[in-house]
Amino acid sequence: MGALEDARAWMAQDPDPVTRAELDALLARSAAGDATATDDLADRFSGRLEFGTAGLRGELGAGPMRMNRVLVAQAAAGLAAYLRARDPHPTAVIGYDGRHNSAVFARDSAAILAGAGVETTILPRPLPTPVLAFAVRELRASAGIMVTASHNPARDNGYKVYLGGGDDGSQIVPPADGEIAAEIERAATVAFGDHPTSSIYATADESVIDAYVERTAGIATEPEPLRYVYTPLHGVGREVAEQVFGEAGFAAPIVVATQADPDPDFPTVAFPNPEEPGAMDLAFAAARASNADLVLANDPDADRIAVGVPDPHVEGGWRRLSGNEVGLLLGWRAAREHDSGTLACSLVSSPGLREIARVRGLDFVETLTGFKWISRAPGLIFGFEEALGYLVDPSKVRDKDGISAAVAVLSLFSELRAAGETLDSDLEHFALEFGAFASAQISIRVADLAEIPRAMARLRAEPPASIGGLAVAGVDDYLTGVDGFPPNDILRFRTVGGGRVIVRPSGTEPKLKCYLDASSNEGTAAARRAAAAAAVATLEAGMRTLLG
């Protein structure tokens, strides 16, 4: 009866006719004896979406375990209370993408923050996450909110929080996440209609977007004639990206027409994530038809970038470079441009960046996953994580930025063309200077979230003695604390010969992720690359067998 009573109480305060009707239908079906509806209600009211360092993210729908107007109002009221307790005159800026309800969540948040005495500005239309991250610093805001679920499926939405001041516009980290979560819990005792609201908040003018475009275009080097395909994957990246590319002097991209405009249903892809198989198929088709030099694909909120290149050895003649391949190329480029500073990446990203820093005499920082940690590395000149996230201009934003990274990639390809080099020759030079590094990833999407902790528990209870025939030389369990990191649900297996396998749950999707890395510095560049690739293939086959 608890879930039924909670559902009726939720309906009484819910301002959204869609989610009210959703609950009403579930209650009617449950009353008629539909066990599926009863179970659905129990799930929706079994707790509440946890607010953490990634903010909120979940499926749209009614109830505290879904993303909806009531939950977002509680988050906004909690954040307002947190800000007011620390600053007598707090300010906030809010951005939103093109997903279902993003604009509504943003406007609700603005009204509640303004009603709580927070001077609030909302961006003028759906825009990329990097523009919001830039606006936090540009407007010297106390906090920023971005309403987005990034590359999650169409049914999801989310709520990211940035802090200004001493946090310098980075995403929140402990203890701020816990302190904001506590304020949200208190705000949850207040009904939606009882939160003070105000319509007196500002809408940012074009100067913020213009400043982002100018700063981002300014990182480009002398452009060479390049023919390239671009897709925003039905997201909000195209408008700003095209402005940036044009101002930087690059030719206009060939845009994938069927994916050019924002569409919250992402109709041409199974998942709007350029890492997912098939997500870049239309872009590759456009590249083949236009004889392009490369492909650039933003995810829907444009904080990530994928790069595709011609490859005659694969079916279709095009392949996506891995996040590690792009990260190492951009990291090497940053190292060539700086005599001092820090290269940083997450612990699941390629160990090759550490080697670049060592050889080039730069500092190196390894962090937990997420740009909330990478962006805080002291003296940062470049940071990346293997999941297609790159921070190439830390003085401008303190988060991954898929548009700035696209400019860096276009600049790199221009530099190679001007020097008479190709991507393949550049990779050969890299292998000779630093060694060859190969990586792979296994992502297991689950329907039952309980399967992920069960799989981690099995690996802890019975760690493998070998992986694909390669002996395991050591096991590091980050739950017990490793390398000074706080406890984290991560396992690392180190194999004889320098390979490694890292296993962890995804922080944003129902997936178990395995990260496989190997390297070689013996022989010619070709021999090094072949040896590293063979070692990773062995690790991948071994892990697939272990995980069933």
Side-chain angles (χ1 to χ4, degrees), residues 14 214 317 377 389 394 460 479:
D14 190 347
E214 181 180 359
R460 285 190 169 93
L479 275 183

Side-chain angles (χ1 to χ4, degrees), residues 7 24 251 415 436 476 494 500:
D24 194 37
E415 291 157 8
D476 300 312
R494 291 174 281 108
R500 74 175 192 190

Side-chain angles (χ1 to χ4, degrees), residues 14-185:
D14 190 347
D16 188 334
V18 173
T19 45
R20 279 202 314 272
E22 186 180 289
L23 272 188
D24 194 37
L26 284 172
L27 285 167
R29 286 169 50 203
S30 178
D34 185 334
T36 301
T38 302
D39 290 345
D40 193 353
L41 285 167
D43 177 62
R44 291 166 184 258
F45 291 90
S46 61
R48 58 183 297 115
L49 286 181
E50 181 180 354
F51 183 92
T53 55
L56 294 167
R57 192 174 293 191
E59 185 177 349
L60 289 163
M65 289 294 290
R66 303 288 189 272
M67 285 294 297
N68 50 68
R69 292 182 67 186
V70 175
L71 193 80
V72 165
Q74 294 167 357
L79 177 61
Y82 171 87
L83 295 174
R84 288 295 304 273
R86 287 155 180 80
D87 185 342
H89 305 291
T91 60
V93 59
I94 302 171
Y96 57 98
D97 66 7
R99 285 178 175 266
H100 292 293
N101 273 8
S102 286
V104 174
F105 292 163
R107 288 192 293 268
D108 282 350
S109 296
I112 288 171
L113 285 164
V118 179
E119 183 181 336
T120 303
T121 300
I122 190 169
L123 296 184
R125 57 186 174 278
L127 287 163
T129 292
V131 175
L132 181 278
F134 171 77
V136 175
R137 291 164 62 85
E138 179 75 0
L139 301 179
R140 300 177 182 269
S142 308
I145 296 168
M146 183 67 196
V147 182
T148 180
S150 191
H151 56 280
N152 274 39
R155 64 179 180 272
D156 290 356
N157 212 325
Y159 200 82
K160 291 172 63 172
V161 175
Y162 301 78
L163 289 179
D167 288 83
D168 209 21
S170 294
Q171 289 185 68
I172 54 173
V173 296
D177 61 329
E179 293 164 353
I180 296 170
E183 294 289 359
I184 292 172
E185 290 284 351

Side-chain angles (χ1 to χ4, degrees), residues 110 229 239 241 339 421 455 464 482:
V229 169
E239 174 202 344
D339 296 326
E421 299 279 359
V482 174

Side-chain angles (χ1 to χ4, degrees), residues 446-462 489 491 503 505 512 547:
V446 299
D448 179 7
L449 285 174
E451 179 55 32
I452 292 177
R454 286 197 292 266
M456 294 297 290
R458 286 194 297 269
L459 288 171
R460 285 190 169 93
E462 299 179 9
D489 192 10
L491 285 168
V503 186
L512 183 69
L547 295 170

Side-chain angles (χ1 to χ4, degrees), residues 187-268:
T189 63
V190 179
F192 180 93
D194 294 335
H195 293 295
T197 62
S198 172
S199 61
I200 303 175
Y201 55 83
T203 298
D205 60 30
E206 293 298 311
S207 63
V208 174
I209 302 158
D210 292 344
Y212 173 86
V213 169
E214 181 180 359
R215 287 283 301 278
T216 306
I219 69 171
T221 54
E222 188 66 30
E224 287 286 317
L226 291 173
R227 181 184 291 271
Y228 62 104
V229 169
Y230 171 76
T231 176
L233 282 185
H234 301 292
V236 295
R238 178 189 175 190
E239 174 202 344
V240 175
E242 287 190 324
Q243 289 179 25
V244 168
F245 299 156
E247 185 151 331
F250 295 107
I254 300 158
V255 178
V256 179
T258 54
Q259 298 174 334
D261 298 321
D263 188 327
D265 294 316
F266 310 114
T268 67

